[in-house]
Amino acid sequence: MTIFKHLLNITNMYSHSFRRVVGGALIAVFLFACHAEENVSHDYLCRFAFTHVLHPTSKLVTAVNNPGYFVSVSMGRINGIYHVYVSPADGTGDEDIALTTEPENMITYELGANNGIIVGSTNFAGPVGYDKQCPNCLKQYGNVGYPLTWVAKKALFVECKKCGRTYSLETGALENKKSNSEVGLMRYSARVNARQIVVSN
């Protein structure tokens, strides 16, 4: 309630009509943020931190700062060094980023159901993370092995080759939903601070 009251106090500094417009917009943003936080999936552990100040030119940095731009992220470990593999939806070239500092290699990384997440920025909710596995196939068949792939010429959508379902990256919703038992993408919280991009649940 404290945040809600603070938003109302901000609107009191302006004229009545302007207060109504600004107040409504601020409340909508607040409620949307709370709703997004409630929708974070906890089915599989996600714990990913990327120190963007050490890798400022990465396409992962581009993704969280440019609405409508998304990348898939996976990780590997070679000779004791973590590597972040970044693949952009626009097909402009994959990245292999070695995490060479000690703090970066002390983290225990977990990338959802099967070492894969999708990270980007939406037009209305800012940075977001999703699991890269099809949630409906996971639910129906168990195990893993149902990766989502980019939809050709539709950068804001991913699809599952096994079931043919298509999902919106803007909202996480399943396109053309046919039954109430079908679900949208597994969403993770994505935050950007002065040093890191953090995707977690």
Side-chain angles (χ1 to χ4, degrees), residues 70-73 116-120 128-133 148-150 158 169 185 188 199:
F70 287 86
V71 298
S72 67
V73 179
I117 56 176
I118 296 169
V119 182
V128 67
Y130 299 110
D131 201 286
K132 201 185 170 186
Q133 292 285 302
L148 298 168
T149 58
W150 310 119
V158 288
L169 294 173
L185 294 173
Y188 299 126
V199 183

Side-chain angles (χ1 to χ4, degrees), residues 1-13:
M1 291 301 292
T2 303
I3 296 174
F4 182 73
K5 288 180 180 177
H6 181 63
L7 293 175
L8 291 178
N9 287 338
I10 291 173
T11 65
N12 288 333
M13 296 185 296

